[in-house]
Amino acid sequence: MQKIKSLMTRQGLKSPPESLSDLGAFESLRVPGKEEFRELREQPSDPQAEQELINSIEQVYFSADPFDIVKYELEKLPPVLNLQELEEYRDKLKQQQAAVSKKVADLILEKQPAYVKELERVTSLQTGLQLAAVICTNGRRHLNIAKEGFTQASLGLLANQRKRQLLVGLLKSLRTIKTLQRTDVRLSEMLEEEDYPGAIQLCLECQKAASTFKHYSCISELNSKLQDTLEQIEEQLDVALSKICKNFDINHYTKVQQAYRLLGKTQTAMDQLHMHFTQAIHNTVFQVVLGYVELCAENTDTKFQKLQYKDLCTHVTADSYIPCLADLCKALWEVMLSYYRTMEWHEKHDSEETASSSEGSNVLSTEETNFDRGYVKKKLEHGLTRIWQDVQLKVKTYLLGTDLSIFKYDDFIFVLDIVSRLMQVGEEFCGSKSEVLQESIRKQSINYFKNHHRIRLDELRMFLENETWELCPVKSNFSILQLHEFKFLEQSRSPSVSPSKQPLATSSKPVTLFEQYSSGGNPFEIQANHKDEETEDVLASNGYESDEQEKSAYQEYDSDSDVPEELKRDYVDEQTGDVPVKSVSRETLKSRKKSDYSLNKVNAPILTNTTLNVIRLVGKYMQMMNILKPIAFDVIHFMSQLFDYYLYAIYTFFGRNDSLESTGLGLSSSRLRTTLNRIQESLIDLEVSADPTATLTAAEERKEKVPSPHLNQLVILTSGDTLYGLAERVVATESLVFLAEQFEFLQPHLDAVMPAAKKPFLQQFYSQTVSTASELRKPIYWIVAGKAIDYEQMLLLMTNVKWDVKEIMSQHNIYVDALLKEFEQFNKRLNEVSKRVRIPLPVSNILWEHCIRLANRTIVEGYANVKKCSNEGRALMQLDFQQFLMKLEKLTDIRPIPDKEFVETYIKAYYLTENDMERWIKEHREYSTKQLTNLVNVCLGSHINKKARQKLLAAIDDIDRPKR
């Protein structure tokens, strides 16, 4: 009934009363049998009507709670019964019962296959349970048999097997313990082999194994022993780490770092490493200095080892100072190189570890490694500056321990070179500008250089006063770069690397000292001979480069024979500086002979031994300047004083003449006069003896000045046979010009090292001093020109000429021939002088220009002395002057003739009218008052009256008044 009710519930039907037995009281509500079911199914049915009947059944019949149906129906009857109503109600109940019965029958038939299948499963399950029961019964029976057949021997065998397994495990433990007991021997061997990572790895594994067997009493003692061994390994590891500071070895350092990494003390290792580097610097410098002090000590009883490093440096002797400094820098270089290679090692391994860690998956381990790597990198970068500061302080202390002024200049330069190289090492090491060392060496260098420069100035004065101004024979291809002192310019080296150590540049990227010497060598090695092995080959024999050249040089170059090839090859136009091709014609050379007196000499530079000495001094000064750039300004200032003093000496010896300026020709430019006055005020000590009443400041200023030099008494400047010392004047003046040219050549090098703030001084020196050297030619050669021609004799001859002639003359006056003869003599004497000294074309031109200018002015002066002059006399003046010009042009090729217009204009002024002459007088102020006055007086009576004369004289007086 429950199945039927559940089926009805799933079909959405209201279930009938749970207990159909309650319907037994009513016959009409009994359950139909099978036949009745068949009949019900066979009866025609209306599903909708049947469903309505079922739905019309009261809900109480579908309740799960038991209740009395009969009682329920009886209680529903009305008090007055009606048979017809009862029958109708009965029929309704029957129809409802029939509908329910039919529905139940349909559901039962519908579920019949499932019921059969389920019944089969139940049957199969029952069979399986029966089979299981049989198996269990058999198993219990066999177990009972086995239990009854088990004996004591079998149980004993099992117990022995278990004991055997325990003993095997115990034997393995004992063997492991035995191995642990012998580990210390293997650890000692590994430490001797410097296999620190293997020793630590073994020790850690032993500790791990010991913790596994800690329940054994013997293991507790082994644990403490392993811990002591591990501490001993760390101590030896620290010693191994300290060895890195002086001699870096990649394999050794790799083992040490691996060992510290196994210990998990990477950061501690880096802290210890920096401490060892600091200690290594201190110990290294102390041992180096101590070794030299003990080696050279006179008193062997002194216990130098107990002295402080600062005090120990004061005991270094002068002889051992430079070798000790070199060895000191060598040792410090090794320490710095080890640190540099240590940083390289970490950079390389960090990149490798970064690449490998990116492939791993352990995030925590990677973060810890990155943290350690970052700490090591920062520590190493910070250590660069710290180590360099320690090195600077040690070297500074050594430098201050000895007064460097006791050394010779070359030794002092060598000390500076070593220190400068050390500063370059520091700059490449950590980018520092070496302020500590720079300031220390700068003070000592300036003090030393001031004293040295003062001595050199005194020596220069001595050289100048003993100089006979003879030509120093050098080859035609002479260059200052051939001198030892300028080799560093030729090699274009770094200022802080010695010439002998400078490598040739092979690439655009400069090679640092650490890269150059990383595989071996040392930048502070001292060679036995640190000077250049090459010998200087700058001097020529007798002023000629070969005997054949000397023989051909003295041939007459105006002869009919061909011009020697040597002269063609060596001829240089000194005005343009051009070198002609070899096929120079004889006519071309002969056309030059009038003014060029250098054809019979090799075209070599003109200089003296003193000039060469000054050039060498400049080279030495530049060496110091390039080695120590911070003192570049002081050095260049001292170099300028060398040039100033040389220029002032040349002017004092050969160019000073109070009568020069009275000529009014402007021989000395305002720039030259300003330069000479500046030199005299700032450099020349004009006082003979010190004034005892002078202040201390004045005395200090006088210490920086040099007495004015005096010309050697052997130099004769008053002999007409030698053209008043023309050869000496040419050598002196042209040596100054040559010196100025060398300074011009060196200007780019000086400008490169001069501080930007001081460059105006350098520019002023070149523009106001060096460039004025060639201007000294005019006043110096003017003195020769003024004495070489007898101008006074010409004036006397001109006074004897009668200028008030009445007819035009066809013959010139005798004074013209006398003047031309003087010029011919002058030309011959120039040729004689040129056999001693080559006279450059600019010099000969200036000499001829001065002589011609003086001659023309003498002619004007002679014309100004004329008392009476006629028109025919003026024509005679024109004739004389034209004759002079015609003959003169055959002697010289100077064009145009100097002051030609000066004479011609003065002669032609005689023909001017009153008004034109007044204007002419105002426009031509180059004539003297005497000359202008004479012109007016001579014209009186011819075409100028007395009134006009007074007017013109008044105009001349107005012009002359500002000059008074």
Side-chain angles (χ1 to χ4, degrees):
M1 290 302 293
Q2 291 296 331
K3 288 184 179 181
I4 294 174
K5 188 166 71 172
S6 64
L7 286 173
M8 292 181 66
T9 302
R10 285 197 297 269
Q11 293 293 329
L13 301 176
K14 295 180 180 179
S15 60
E18 185 176 0
S19 179
L20 294 178
S21 61
D22 294 338
L23 297 177
F26 297 95
E27 184 182 355
S28 58
L29 296 177
R30 63 182 180 86
V31 178
K34 293 183 179 180
E35 294 295 330
E36 291 178 320
F37 277 127
R38 190 179 300 111
E39 292 176 359
L40 289 173
R41 288 176 59 86
E42 292 176 356
Q43 290 180 1
S45 61
D46 184 2
Q48 184 176 0
E50 291 178 356
Q51 186 63 39
E52 289 178 356
L53 284 174
I54 293 173
N55 292 340
S56 64
I57 298 175
E58 294 182 15
Q59 186 65 30
V60 69
Y61 288 102
F62 295 100
S63 174
D65 298 332
F67 72 100
D68 191 354
I69 300 175
V70 176
K71 186 178 178 180
Y72 173 75
E73 290 294 338
L74 291 177
E75 288 178 353
K76 287 175 55 180
L77 293 175
V80 180
L81 299 174
N82 186 342
L83 181 59
Q84 185 176 355
E85 292 179 353
L86 289 174
E87 289 180 350
E88 292 177 355
Y89 185 67
R90 187 190 61 181
D91 294 338
K92 179 181 179 181
L93 290 174
K94 286 183 177 182
Q95 291 175 356
Q96 289 177 347
Q97 181 184 10
V100 170
S101 298
K102 187 174 184 304
K103 185 68 175 177
V104 170
D106 291 340
L107 291 174
I108 291 172
L109 291 176
E110 183 180 352
K111 301 297 182 180
Q112 180 67 26
Y115 167 75
V116 173
K117 187 176 180 180
E118 186 67 22
L119 185 61
E120 290 177 354
R121 286 179 67 253
V122 171
T123 304
S124 175
L125 181 62
Q126 183 177 5
T127 304
L129 292 173
Q130 291 175 354
L131 179 60
V134 172
I135 292 172
C136 289
T137 302
N138 293 335
R140 287 182 178 180
R141 186 175 64 253
H142 287 103
L143 284 174
N144 289 330
I145 295 172
K147 183 179 180 181
E148 292 173 356
F150 222 114
T151 62
Q152 179 112 14
S154 298
L155 292 175
L157 182 62
L158 291 176
N160 290 335
Q161 177 65 22
R162 179 173 178 274
K163 185 182 293 184
R164 178 179 179 276
Q165 291 178 346
L166 291 175
L167 290 174
V168 169
L170 178 61
L171 182 60
K172 289 178 66 176
S173 299
L174 291 175
R175 287 175 177 173
T176 303
I177 293 173
K178 182 180 180 181
T179 303
L180 292 176
Q181 293 288 352
R182 296 179 178 179
T183 303
D184 56 343
V185 178
R186 178 56 185 157
L187 285 174
S188 299
E189 294 176 354
M190 297 178 77
L191 290 177
E192 290 179 1
E193 297 170 359
E194 295 185 348
D195 184 10
Y196 304 109
I200 292 176
Q201 184 70 34
L202 178 60
C203 190
L204 293 177
E205 290 176 356
C206 289
Q207 284 186 329
K208 184 178 180 181
S211 63
T212 305
F213 302 105
K214 60 183 178 181
H215 50 279
Y216 296 106
S217 58
C218 60
I219 291 300
S220 59
E221 182 181 352
L222 180 61
N223 261 330
S224 60
K225 185 178 180 180
L226 287 174
Q227 186 62 35
D228 294 340
T229 303
L230 190 60
E231 292 177 358
Q232 181 184 358
I233 293 175
E234 290 188 24
E235 292 177 359
Q236 293 194 22
L237 195 59
D238 188 60
V239 174
L241 186 64
S242 65
K243 296 179 181 178
I244 298 296
C245 301
K246 292 185 180 180
N247 187 17
F248 182 86
D249 180 79
I250 294 179
N251 296 329
H252 182 76
Y253 188 69
T254 302
K255 292 179 181 179
V256 172
Q257 282 296 322
Q258 290 176 350
Y260 273 110
R261 191 170 300 171
L262 289 172
L263 292 173
K265 295 183 177 182
T266 305
Q267 298 181 17
T268 304
M270 194 50 53
D271 295 338
Q272 288 293 109
L273 181 63
H274 281 80
M275 183 188 71
H276 288 313
F277 268 106
T278 303
Q279 190 67 28
I281 292 173
H282 175 76
N283 293 340
T284 298
V285 297
F286 188 86
Q287 291 300 323
V288 170
V289 176
L290 178 63
Y292 276 92
V293 169
E294 291 180 342
L295 181 65
C296 303
E298 297 179 357
N299 185 7
T300 57
D301 296 334
T302 306
K303 295 182 179 180
F304 295 109
Q305 292 184 350
K306 295 184 178 180
L307 294 178
Q308 294 292 327
Y309 174 71
K310 181 178 180 181
D311 299 328
L312 189 64
C313 291
T314 61
H315 289 79
V316 179
T317 61
D319 294 336
S320 62
Y321 185 85
I322 293 179
C324 181
L325 176 61
D327 286 347
L328 190 68
C329 292
K330 280 185 195 177
L332 291 174
W333 159 262
E334 295 296 338
V335 175
M336 297 171 72
L337 179 62
S338 295
Y339 194 89
Y340 177 84
R341 297 184 66 185
T342 301
M343 289 195 67
E344 276 189 336
W345 186 92
H346 280 279
E347 290 175 359
K348 178 182 178 181
H349 282 261
D350 286 350
S351 60
E352 292 177 356
E353 289 180 2
T354 302
S356 60
S357 62
S358 60
E359 301 174 358
S361 58
N362 193 340
V363 179
L364 293 177
S365 177
T366 303
E367 290 180 354
E368 183 179 355
T369 303
N370 291 337
F371 178 78
D372 289 342
R373 191 181 302 127
Y375 177 85
V376 169
K377 183 178 180 181
K378 290 181 179 179
K379 191 74 175 179
L380 288 172
E381 291 175 351
H382 176 72
L384 284 171
T385 306
R386 178 183 173 185
I387 288 175
W388 175 234
Q389 289 296 330
D390 290 344
V391 170
Q392 287 188 89
L393 290 174
K394 296 300 181 184
V395 177
K396 176 185 176 183
T397 303
Y398 180 82
L399 293 174
L400 294 177
T402 304
D403 185 9
L404 298 182
S405 62
I406 64 176
F407 293 109
K408 296 180 180 179
Y409 183 80
D410 290 339
D411 292 336
F412 183 76
I413 287 291
F414 198 73
V415 170
L416 287 187
D417 186 59
I418 293 175
V419 177
S420 182
R421 269 179 280 169
L422 182 63
M423 288 192 289
Q424 184 189 3
V425 169
E427 187 171 350
E428 294 177 359
F429 184 68
C430 62
S432 172
K433 294 299 181 181
S434 311
E435 294 84 358
V436 176
L437 271 180
Q438 278 188 3
E439 186 61 26
S440 173
I441 202 67
R442 181 180 180 275
K443 291 180 179 179
Q444 295 194 64
S445 298
I446 292 177
N447 293 333
Y448 180 91
F449 201 67
K450 281 183 178 180
N451 297 330
H452 175 78
H453 176 64
R454 174 64 194 190
I455 296 172
R456 298 291 83 76
L457 281 178
D458 290 335
E459 286 183 357
L460 178 58
R461 179 171 67 90
M462 181 188 68
F463 282 133
L464 289 170
E465 291 180 345
N466 290 277
E467 181 64 65
T468 58
W469 303 105
E470 293 291 336
L471 186 66
C472 178
V474 294
K475 293 189 175 182
S476 60
N477 63 347
F478 170 75
S479 169
I480 61 172
L481 296 180
Q482 296 170 351
L483 300 176
H484 286 306
E485 290 77 6
F486 292 93
K487 289 296 183 181
F488 68 98
L489 292 180
E490 224 178 14
Q491 296 171 351
S492 300
R493 70 180 180 89
S494 173
S496 58
V497 181
S498 64
S500 59
K501 305 297 192 304
Q502 179 67 17
L504 296 176
T506 57
S507 61
S508 58
K509 183 181 178 181
V511 179
T512 64
L513 293 175
F514 288 97
E515 294 172 345
Q516 181 179 349
Y517 295 101
S518 60
S519 58
N522 196 299
F524 298 98
E525 291 287 347
I526 299 180
Q527 296 182 351
N529 182 12
H530 54 264
K531 294 184 179 180
D532 295 322
E533 295 179 358
E534 299 179 2
T535 58
E536 291 181 348
D537 186 18
V538 297
L539 298 180
S541 175
N542 297 325
Y544 299 95
E545 297 186 23
S546 67
D547 294 337
E548 295 179 359
Q549 195 174 41
E550 181 177 5
K551 181 178 179 181
S552 62
Y554 283 102
Q555 293 180 354
E556 291 291 337
Y557 50 81
D558 58 346
S559 64
D560 294 334
S561 61
D562 293 336
V563 178
E565 288 297 325
E566 291 84 352
L567 301 184
K568 294 179 182 179
R569 180 171 60 253
D570 293 327
Y571 180 76
V572 177
D573 187 341
E574 296 200 12
Q575 283 186 326
T576 63
D578 297 330
V579 179
V581 295
K582 288 187 177 181
S583 59
V584 178
S585 65
R586 182 171 62 87
E587 288 74 14
T588 302
L589 292 177
K590 287 186 67 176
S591 67
R592 298 282 184 155
K593 71 178 182 178
K594 299 172 184 177
S595 299
D596 193 348
Y597 299 88
S598 63
L599 288 178
N600 61 337
K601 284 286 182 179
V602 177
N603 189 31
I606 298 176
L607 67 157
T608 66
N609 289 326
T610 303
T611 316
L612 202 58
N613 181 61
V614 172
I615 292 174
R616 291 185 186 276
L617 277 179
V618 170
K620 289 183 178 181
Y621 282 23
M622 289 188 66
Q623 286 180 16
M624 173 176 282
M625 177 178 58
N626 280 341
I627 289 173
L628 197 60
K629 288 185 178 181
I631 66 169
F633 170 71
D634 302 276
V635 176
I636 292 177
H637 174 66
F638 293 147
M639 286 172 56
S640 69
Q641 288 186 348
L642 293 176
F643 187 85
D644 289 346
Y645 195 72
Y646 194 88
L647 183 147
Y648 185 82
I650 300 300
Y651 171 75
T652 304
F653 294 165
F654 304 103
R656 176 174 288 176
N657 194 325
D658 297 335
S659 63
L660 288 179
E661 301 305 324
S662 62
T663 61
L665 298 177
L667 297 174
S668 298
S669 64
S670 59
R671 185 175 61 167
L672 178 58
R673 291 194 299 272
T674 302
T675 298
L676 292 170
N677 290 333
R678 176 188 61 78
I679 296 173
Q680 182 171 298
E681 293 175 0
S682 62
L683 188 62
I684 306 303
D685 183 9
L686 299 176
E687 300 180 17
V688 179
S689 60
D691 185 3
T693 61
T695 61
L696 181 61
T697 304
E700 290 295 329
E701 291 179 354
R702 288 198 59 208
K703 284 184 179 180
E704 299 180 359
K705 294 184 177 182
V706 188
S708 179
H710 301 286
L711 182 63
N712 192 335
Q713 295 180 357
L714 297 177
V715 180
I716 307 300
L717 302 180
T718 57
S719 174
D721 296 335
T722 61
L723 273 179
Y724 305 94
L726 178 61
E728 289 80 2
R729 294 178 189 271
V730 169
V731 171
T733 308
E734 299 312 305
S735 68
L736 174 64
V737 174
F738 177 78
L739 184 61
E741 292 172 353
Q742 306 317 303
F743 269 84
E744 292 285 355
F745 170 74
L746 295 173
Q747 183 177 5
H749 302 280
L750 301 179
D751 189 68
V753 297
M754 176 67 96
K758 301 295 184 180
K759 286 189 177 182
F761 167 81
L762 186 63
Q763 296 171 357
Q764 183 180 7
F765 167 66
Y766 273 93
S767 62
Q768 296 185 7
T769 305
V770 177
S771 60
T772 61
S774 59
E775 297 180 11
L776 271 181
R777 284 170 169 166
K778 285 188 175 182
I780 290 176
Y781 298 134
W782 177 270
I783 298 175
V784 176
K787 297 178 181 181
I789 306 295
D790 192 352
Y791 306 103
E792 295 296 331
Q793 179 65 25
M794 187 179 69
L795 281 177
L796 291 175
L797 294 174
M798 292 180 70
T799 56
N800 296 328
V801 178
K802 187 177 181 181
W803 300 103
D804 55 347
V805 294
K806 299 302 182 181
E807 59 182 16
I808 297 177
M809 305 297 291
S810 60
Q811 180 65 31
H812 60 274
N813 288 302
I814 192 173
Y815 75 88
V816 176
D817 295 330
L819 182 58
L820 289 171
K821 186 176 181 181
E822 289 284 336
F823 273 103
E824 290 175 356
Q825 292 295 326
F826 173 70
N827 189 27
K828 290 180 180 179
R829 283 186 286 177
L830 276 182
N831 279 318
E832 291 297 325
V833 172
S834 67
K835 293 179 180 179
R836 286 183 55 199
V837 177
R838 179 176 62 88
I839 300 179
L841 185 59
V843 175
S844 61
N845 286 341
I846 289 177
L847 284 168
W848 276 98
E849 180 184 347
H850 283 343
C851 289
I852 295 171
R853 192 183 300 276
L854 283 170
N856 285 335
R857 290 183 178 268
T858 303
I859 291 174
V860 172
E861 188 66 22
Y863 293 160
N865 292 331
V866 175
K867 302 298 181 182
K868 293 180 180 181
C869 183
S870 61
N871 289 336
E872 291 78 7
R874 287 294 172 181
L876 182 57
M877 291 180 182
Q878 288 278 16
L879 177 63
D880 291 345
F881 188 62
Q882 291 302 321
Q883 178 68 17
F884 171 69
L885 292 179
M886 183 182 64
K887 296 292 185 180
L888 181 63
E889 288 176 352
K890 294 181 180 180
L891 294 174
T892 179
D893 50 6
I894 294 181
R895 303 291 184 274
I897 297 298
D899 280 355
K900 175 183 176 183
E901 294 80 6
F902 184 79
V903 180
E904 292 177 340
T905 303
Y906 188 79
I907 297 174
K908 294 176 181 178
Y910 177 82
Y911 303 103
L912 297 175
T913 61
E914 174 188 344
N915 294 332
D916 291 338
M917 184 169 288
E918 182 179 1
R919 185 173 60 256
W920 184 90
I921 289 173
K922 293 180 179 180
E923 292 176 354
H924 293 78
R925 300 192 178 190
E926 65 271 20
Y927 298 100
S928 66
T929 303
K930 174 189 173 183
Q931 293 168 351
L932 295 175
T933 302
N934 180 268
L935 181 62
V936 173
N937 290 333
V938 171
C939 293
L940 178 64
S942 60
H943 56 281
I944 295 178
N945 54 34
K946 291 184 177 182
K947 184 178 180 180
R949 173 178 175 272
Q950 294 297 328
K951 182 180 180 182
L952 292 174
L953 292 176
I956 294 172
D957 188 63
D958 292 340
I959 295 173
D960 186 56
R961 187 175 293 113
K963 299 179 182 179
R964 298 172 186 170

